[in-house]
Amino acid sequence: MLASGAQAADGDGFYGTTEPFASEAVYFVLTDRFVNGDPSNDHRDQGGKNGTFDVPTPGAPAGESDNIGYLGGDFKGIVDNAGYIREMGFTSVWVTPIVDNPDEAFTGGTPAVWGSSFSDRGKTGFHGYWGINFYKLDEHLPSAGLDFAGFTRAMKEQKLDVVLDIVGNHGSPAFSMPVMQPQYGKVYDRNGKLIADHQNLDPSKLDPARNPLHAFYNTRGNLVQLSDFNQDNPAVLEYLVGAYEQWIDQGAAAFRVDTIAWLPHSFWKQFADRIRAKRPGFFMFGEAFNYDAALIAGHTLERNGHFSVLDFPMRGKMAATFEKKGSDFAELATALYLEDGPYANPYDLVTFYDNHDMARMNASDEGFIDANNWLFTARGIPAVYYGSETGFMRGRAEHMGNRNYYGQERVDAAAGSPIYPALKRIANLRRQSPALQRGLQLNLSMKGDEAAFYRVYEHDGVAQTALVMLNKGDEARTVELDEHLQAGNWRDGFSKARIKVGKQLRIVVPAHGVRVLFFDQPLTRTDLRAKLADSMARKDR
């Protein structure tokens, strides 16, 4: 039980964050690649000679596979497996963009072949990031009773929120086609009216001063052949705000913002102000694909729109730590930025170890278990890419299997992977713990295969401290703690057993294991409270 009426005497208490979304744990689904719940929306004959369904990536070695066409995953496939996701310990599902994408494979650009990157010839918009009408739902996703509003309702009924991936930087590929294709490089409004057309022209050949259909785009280009939106055109902001407000009205609970770094802070500040004028406190986290904390932290500042970001610096350290034996937990400590760091608040960052834009983590089963034990106990909001609960396609990059189809058979067999029960165990513990969700983190020991730290939450009538002990070694080890140790009666988070702690704690942590002890009342040790008060004062910018 949590103590109530347990306000700390130190200001308004101890906490890492009061952000409501920090209580979430996110399962990231590339919708087309999860489960085909409704074959009737597959559109297998779409695209004619530039077909869109089941397009194997050329050049795959024997026994390997990758695909750049649609493979049938849809809203129904997610809803059918909402119980599976929830039982794993997740509370939200992040889905890739839902807006209408072109109905043919792209014929321009560089050929997409096995192992290539930034290559789109022959590829389809199965991923959703090639929008042509941001107000229209792509036809591959819905089923009867499951448009987007129906989807979010169905998920909410199963206690899952939907995080929507949005794009503000670009639309579909727009130029370099041998012959202009009907939809590529175009943007349509909510009524289906054409409002922008790249006309298969190189960006430098666009003439926005004379052709209103060019005014939506920049003339310098940006990322491969994608149509690059003009951030200085007020019509672009109006269009995107209107479209994304529509999806909020239909149940989107938060946004993940694609390529946030490709547009200036001034644009995103206007966007955030408009969205939050309608939905105060609406949570948004951006993708600034950069491992330099000082560079990505700017997005988190109030003056720039107060976005969270995906924690790429932590991701880099996690991969280095959990992909190989003999690594040092101390490396992870350098990416936490618990005090005097560049972020507005490091506890609001979304933490992860891989996703659809990079090679999946190339770890052993034990490496995944260790990574999840860290991800669900350390500061931040955990996000896990579909299939990582079984080590699916580990080590594989885009066009090498990273985005391969998962399918119902793998979902049904997931419990047979040693990664799955360990993930389920720690994720469900976090789901029940305000300290693990929002608590201030104080490191006690982070060296070699061992990590020990507090997560302390004393705020708004709730008091809970979690003492986390991790072991990523191949043998059980006895963790010994005495510095800043709170004496008293603790409880084991998993077994519920009561543990009396005195001046020293000696506790066995299994190989590739985690122990979490809870203290469900305010801390009383004076030096510990002083240390926490100092950390509390230094965590925010």
Side-chain angles (χ1 to χ4, degrees):
M1 295 291 292
L2 301 180
S4 61
Q7 282 289 301
D10 312 79
D12 61 350
F14 303 131
Y15 52 85
T17 181
T18 57
E19 167 58 54
F21 196 82
S23 65
E24 303 287 326
V26 183
Y27 188 68
F28 172 31
V29 170
L30 206 163
T31 308
D32 178 74
R33 299 307 169 85
F34 186 53
V35 172
N36 187 351
D38 180 6
S40 72
N41 62 19
D42 288 355
H43 300 279
R44 297 188 176 213
D45 297 327
Q46 188 180 73
K49 65 180 181 179
N50 298 312
T52 63
F53 192 84
D54 191 8
V55 183
T57 304
E64 301 284 357
S65 69
D66 185 72
N67 206 287
I68 49 178
Y70 287 87
L71 292 176
D74 47 34
F75 290 158
K76 190 172 187 301
I78 298 174
V79 171
D80 287 349
N81 290 286
Y84 164 80
I85 296 169
R86 178 72 185 177
E87 287 165 11
M88 261 193 294
F90 295 98
T91 59
S92 290
V93 177
W94 155 17
V95 296
T96 39
I98 59 172
V99 302
D100 196 27
N101 274 233
D103 297 340
E104 294 182 344
F106 184 52
T107 60
T110 303
V113 297
W114 179 265
S116 65
S117 58
F118 298 106
S119 53
D120 291 328
R121 188 186 305 170
K123 195 170 180 177
T124 66
F126 71 87
H127 42 67
Y129 294 95
W130 291 355
I132 58 173
N133 189 333
F134 289 61
Y135 289 85
K136 182 181 178 183
L137 186 62
D138 191 88
E139 67 276 11
H140 296 86
L141 301 176
S143 303
L146 279 182
D147 57 7
F148 186 66
F151 170 57
T152 60
R153 273 195 309 273
M155 296 294 280
K156 196 72 174 176
E157 287 169 1
Q158 301 197 56
K159 299 182 180 180
L160 289 168
D161 286 326
V162 174
V163 177
L164 180 60
D165 206 321
I166 69 167
V167 185
N169 174 64
H170 63 264
S172 64
F175 59 97
S176 75
M177 294 166 275
V179 177
M180 186 165 63
Q181 296 176 266
Q183 295 174 313
Y184 281 99
K186 295 177 171 57
V187 176
Y188 300 88
D189 69 10
R190 68 170 73 238
N191 299 313
K193 177 185 176 184
L194 182 67
I195 59 171
D197 191 348
H198 219 282
Q199 296 178 329
N200 201 23
L201 296 171
D202 185 276
S204 64
K205 301 294 178 56
L206 295 174
D207 188 2
R210 293 187 179 88
N211 189 336
L213 291 177
H214 293 176
F216 225 71
Y217 302 125
N218 282 314
T219 56
R220 63 180 183 276
N222 203 325
L223 190 61
V224 289
Q225 290 79 38
L226 296 173
S227 51
D228 193 65
F229 291 162
N230 179 5
Q231 69 276 4
D232 298 322
N233 182 349
V236 171
L237 180 66
E238 291 299 321
Y239 179 85
L240 293 171
V241 167
Y244 292 132
E245 283 183 341
Q246 169 186 291
W247 301 122
I248 292 174
D249 289 342
Q250 294 186 28
F255 287 159
R256 180 266 190 181
V257 183
D258 184 67
T259 52
I260 194 172
W262 293 91
L263 286 169
H265 291 311
S266 57
F267 178 90
W268 290 119
K269 178 65 164 69
Q270 293 179 75
F271 179 87
D273 288 348
R274 291 282 299 277
I275 293 294
R276 293 187 182 126
K278 184 168 184 176
R279 291 288 191 279
F282 192 81
F283 188 78
M284 295 181 277
F285 61 99
E287 175 228 6
F289 201 132
N290 194 297
Y291 291 92
D292 186 336
L295 287 178
I296 69 174
H299 299 286
T300 70
L301 305 181
E302 186 67 36
R303 67 176 180 268
N304 295 331
H306 192 59
F307 291 81
S308 174
V309 288
L310 287 160
D311 192 351
F312 277 88
M314 176 61 74
R315 183 267 158 191
K317 296 296 185 182
M318 287 186 72
T321 300
F322 299 118
E323 286 185 341
K324 59 185 179 182
K325 293 183 179 182
S327 58
D328 193 334
F329 259 124
E331 283 294 305
L332 290 173
T334 64
L336 285 167
Y337 296 100
L338 298 176
E339 298 172 357
D340 303 323
Y343 303 107
N345 187 334
Y347 292 85
D348 293 341
L349 303 184
V350 176
T351 49
F352 69 109
Y353 46 75
D354 61 20
N355 65 24
H356 60 320
D357 286 330
M358 62 185 62
R360 287 179 178 261
M361 190 166 69
N362 193 20
S364 64
D365 289 350
E366 292 79 13
F368 274 94
I369 291 168
D370 294 333
N372 289 328
N373 285 338
W374 168 263
L375 192 69
F376 283 84
T377 56
R379 71 102 178 105
I381 305 165
V384 173
Y385 190 33
Y386 81 97
S388 288
E389 66 269 28
T390 61
F392 180 60
M393 302 307 296
R394 67 189 82 194
R396 298 314 178 94
E398 183 186 4
H399 300 154
M400 294 178 67
N402 172 288
R403 304 177 180 184
N404 273 6
Y405 182 73
Y406 199 57
Q408 193 63 52
E409 288 186 8
R410 288 190 178 91
V411 169
D412 295 341
S417 166
I419 302 170
Y420 173 87
L423 168 61
K424 182 176 179 179
R425 182 173 184 255
I426 193 61
N428 275 286
L429 186 70
R430 183 186 187 275
R431 190 167 70 183
Q432 301 161 9
S433 169
L436 293 179
Q437 294 166 7
R438 299 186 295 276
L440 196 68
Q441 181 165 341
L442 177 64
N443 293 335
L444 301 174
S445 172
M446 293 190 71
K447 184 177 181 181
D449 288 336
E450 177 185 314
F453 51 88
Y454 282 128
R455 299 293 307 278
V456 182
Y457 188 83
E458 294 185 15
H459 179 68
D460 199 25
V462 174
Q464 184 185 78
T465 294
L467 173 57
V468 178
M469 291 157 285
L470 303 172
N471 173 19
K472 65 181 183 65
D474 292 334
E475 297 180 358
R477 63 189 300 135
T478 300
V479 175
E480 299 183 5
L481 300 172
D482 52 20
E483 187 178 8
H484 299 308
L485 187 63
Q486 170 68 50
N489 290 313
W490 293 68
R491 66 179 170 89
D492 188 291
F494 298 113
S495 72
K496 313 303 181 188
R498 292 290 169 175
I499 298 175
K500 188 172 180 61
V501 175
K503 293 182 179 180
Q504 186 180 53
L505 175 67
R506 298 181 78 253
I507 195 164
V508 176
V509 182
H512 302 289
V514 55
R515 297 288 300 272
V516 181
L517 306 185
F518 289 118
F519 191 72
D520 295 319
Q521 54 188 312
L523 298 167
T524 59
R525 182 163 173 161
T526 304
D527 63 340
L528 175 56
R529 295 191 71 85
K531 181 71 174 173
L532 291 167
D534 179 64
S535 185
M536 183 78 183
R538 295 166 57 192
K539 70 179 174 65
D540 297 322
R541 281 198 62 177

